[in-house]
Short mmCIF file of all heavy atoms in Angstrom, two decimals:
data_model
loop_
_atom_site.label_atom_id
_atom_site.label_comp_id
_atom_site.label_asym_id
_atom_site.label_seq_id
_atom_site.Cartn_x
_atom_site.Cartn_y
_atom_site.Cartn_z
N ARG A 905 -19.16 -14.00 17.37
CA ARG A 905 -20.60 -13.90 17.55
C ARG A 905 -21.34 -13.29 16.39
O ARG A 905 -22.47 -13.60 16.13
CB ARG A 905 -20.89 -13.14 18.86
CG ARG A 905 -20.46 -13.88 20.10
CD ARG A 905 -21.02 -13.30 21.37
NE ARG A 905 -20.77 -14.19 22.51
CZ ARG A 905 -21.28 -14.02 23.70
NH1 ARG A 905 -22.08 -12.98 23.95
NH2 ARG A 905 -21.01 -14.86 24.69
N GLN A 906 -20.71 -12.37 15.69
CA GLN A 906 -21.38 -11.69 14.60
C GLN A 906 -21.42 -12.55 13.33
O GLN A 906 -22.22 -12.24 12.42
CB GLN A 906 -20.75 -10.33 14.32
CG GLN A 906 -20.99 -9.33 15.46
CD GLN A 906 -20.69 -7.90 15.08
OE1 GLN A 906 -19.89 -7.64 14.15
NE2 GLN A 906 -21.28 -6.93 15.78
N THR A 907 -20.59 -13.58 13.28
CA THR A 907 -20.70 -14.49 12.12
C THR A 907 -21.67 -15.61 12.41
O THR A 907 -22.01 -16.39 11.50
CB THR A 907 -19.30 -15.06 11.80
OG1 THR A 907 -18.73 -15.68 12.99
CG2 THR A 907 -18.37 -14.00 11.31
N ALA A 908 -22.16 -15.72 13.64
CA ALA A 908 -23.15 -16.75 13.99
C ALA A 908 -24.54 -16.31 13.50
O ALA A 908 -24.79 -15.13 13.27
CB ALA A 908 -23.14 -16.96 15.53
N PRO A 909 -25.43 -17.27 13.28
CA PRO A 909 -26.78 -16.91 12.85
C PRO A 909 -27.47 -16.00 13.85
O PRO A 909 -27.23 -16.05 15.08
CB PRO A 909 -27.48 -18.27 12.78
CG PRO A 909 -26.41 -19.29 12.64
CD PRO A 909 -25.23 -18.72 13.41
N ALA A 910 -28.34 -15.14 13.36
CA ALA A 910 -29.08 -14.18 14.22
C ALA A 910 -30.05 -14.94 15.11
O ALA A 910 -30.59 -15.98 14.76
CB ALA A 910 -29.82 -13.18 13.36
N ILE A 911 -30.22 -14.40 16.32
CA ILE A 911 -31.11 -14.99 17.29
C ILE A 911 -32.43 -14.22 17.31
O ILE A 911 -32.46 -13.02 17.26
CB ILE A 911 -30.49 -14.90 18.73
CG1 ILE A 911 -29.21 -15.70 18.82
CG2 ILE A 911 -31.47 -15.38 19.80
CD1 ILE A 911 -28.46 -15.54 20.13
N GLN A 912 -33.55 -14.97 17.39
CA GLN A 912 -34.86 -14.34 17.47
C GLN A 912 -35.13 -14.03 18.96
O GLN A 912 -35.12 -14.91 19.79
CB GLN A 912 -35.95 -15.26 16.95
CG GLN A 912 -37.31 -14.62 16.84
CD GLN A 912 -37.43 -13.69 15.65
OE1 GLN A 912 -36.98 -13.97 14.57
NE2 GLN A 912 -38.04 -12.53 15.88
N LEU A 913 -35.33 -12.74 19.25
CA LEU A 913 -35.58 -12.34 20.64
C LEU A 913 -37.06 -12.35 20.90
O LEU A 913 -37.84 -11.71 20.20
CB LEU A 913 -35.04 -10.91 20.86
CG LEU A 913 -35.05 -10.41 22.28
CD1 LEU A 913 -34.19 -11.23 23.21
CD2 LEU A 913 -34.67 -8.92 22.33
N LEU A 923 -26.01 -12.75 25.29
CA LEU A 923 -26.46 -12.10 24.01
C LEU A 923 -25.47 -11.10 23.47
O LEU A 923 -25.58 -10.75 22.28
CB LEU A 923 -27.79 -11.44 24.27
CG LEU A 923 -29.03 -12.32 24.44
CD1 LEU A 923 -30.26 -11.46 24.63
CD2 LEU A 923 -29.23 -13.26 23.23
N ARG A 926 -24.21 -10.46 19.76
CA ARG A 926 -24.94 -11.33 18.84
C ARG A 926 -25.86 -10.49 17.98
O ARG A 926 -26.38 -9.48 18.40
CB ARG A 926 -25.74 -12.36 19.61
CG ARG A 926 -24.95 -13.42 20.31
CD ARG A 926 -24.17 -14.34 19.36
NE ARG A 926 -24.99 -15.01 18.39
CZ ARG A 926 -25.48 -16.26 18.55
NH1 ARG A 926 -25.21 -16.92 19.67
NH2 ARG A 926 -26.20 -16.80 17.61
N ARG A 927 -26.07 -10.96 16.75
CA ARG A 927 -27.10 -10.32 15.91
C ARG A 927 -28.46 -10.82 16.36
O ARG A 927 -28.64 -11.99 16.57
CB ARG A 927 -26.84 -10.65 14.43
CG ARG A 927 -25.63 -9.94 13.87
CD ARG A 927 -25.46 -10.16 12.39
NE ARG A 927 -25.34 -11.59 12.08
CZ ARG A 927 -26.22 -12.28 11.34
NH1 ARG A 927 -27.29 -11.68 10.87
NH2 ARG A 927 -26.03 -13.57 11.07
N ILE A 928 -29.39 -9.85 16.51
CA ILE A 928 -30.69 -10.16 17.08
C ILE A 928 -31.80 -9.75 16.11
O ILE A 928 -31.74 -8.67 15.47
CB ILE A 928 -30.90 -9.36 18.41
CG1 ILE A 928 -29.81 -9.70 19.44
CG2 ILE A 928 -32.31 -9.61 18.95
CD1 ILE A 928 -29.87 -11.13 19.93
N LEU A 929 -32.80 -10.61 15.94
CA LEU A 929 -34.00 -10.29 15.23
C LEU A 929 -35.15 -10.16 16.28
O LEU A 929 -35.25 -11.04 17.16
CB LEU A 929 -34.35 -11.35 14.21
CG LEU A 929 -33.41 -11.48 13.02
CD1 LEU A 929 -33.76 -12.73 12.19
CD2 LEU A 929 -33.48 -10.27 12.15
N VAL A 930 -35.97 -9.15 16.14
CA VAL A 930 -37.08 -8.99 17.09
C VAL A 930 -38.27 -8.39 16.38
O VAL A 930 -38.14 -7.46 15.57
CB VAL A 930 -36.64 -8.14 18.27
CG1 VAL A 930 -36.13 -6.76 17.90
CG2 VAL A 930 -37.75 -8.04 19.32
N GLU A 996 -40.35 -5.93 12.02
CA GLU A 996 -39.22 -6.74 12.50
C GLU A 996 -37.94 -5.93 12.22
O GLU A 996 -37.76 -5.42 11.12
CB GLU A 996 -39.15 -8.09 11.79
CG GLU A 996 -38.00 -8.97 12.31
CD GLU A 996 -37.94 -10.35 11.70
OE1 GLU A 996 -37.82 -10.44 10.46
OE2 GLU A 996 -38.12 -11.35 12.44
N ILE A 997 -37.09 -5.86 13.20
CA ILE A 997 -35.81 -5.13 13.05
C ILE A 997 -34.68 -6.11 13.43
O ILE A 997 -34.86 -7.06 14.18
CB ILE A 997 -35.74 -3.87 13.88
CG1 ILE A 997 -35.92 -4.15 15.37
CG2 ILE A 997 -36.75 -2.86 13.39
CD1 ILE A 997 -35.71 -2.96 16.26
N GLU A 998 -33.48 -5.75 12.94
CA GLU A 998 -32.28 -6.49 13.27
C GLU A 998 -31.28 -5.57 13.91
O GLU A 998 -31.21 -4.39 13.56
CB GLU A 998 -31.64 -7.14 12.01
CG GLU A 998 -30.39 -7.92 12.33
CD GLU A 998 -29.77 -8.58 11.08
OE1 GLU A 998 -30.41 -8.50 10.02
OE2 GLU A 998 -28.68 -9.15 11.19
N GLY A 999 -30.53 -6.04 14.90
CA GLY A 999 -29.52 -5.20 15.52
C GLY A 999 -28.48 -6.06 16.22
O GLY A 999 -28.53 -7.28 16.18
N LEU A 1047 -29.56 -2.17 13.11
CA LEU A 1047 -28.84 -2.30 11.86
C LEU A 1047 -29.77 -2.12 10.65
O LEU A 1047 -29.36 -1.64 9.61
CB LEU A 1047 -28.09 -3.63 11.79
CG LEU A 1047 -27.06 -3.91 12.87
CD1 LEU A 1047 -26.54 -5.32 12.73
CD2 LEU A 1047 -25.92 -2.92 12.82
#
Side-chain angles (χ1 to χ4, degrees):
R905 293 194 170 188
Q906 291 194 337
T907 55
I911 296 174
Q912 188 76 43
L913 187 64
L923 288 180
R926 290 296 302 265
R927 289 186 301 116
I928 302 293
L929 292 171
V930 58
E996 182 176 62
I997 59 174
E998 180 178 355
L1047 300 175

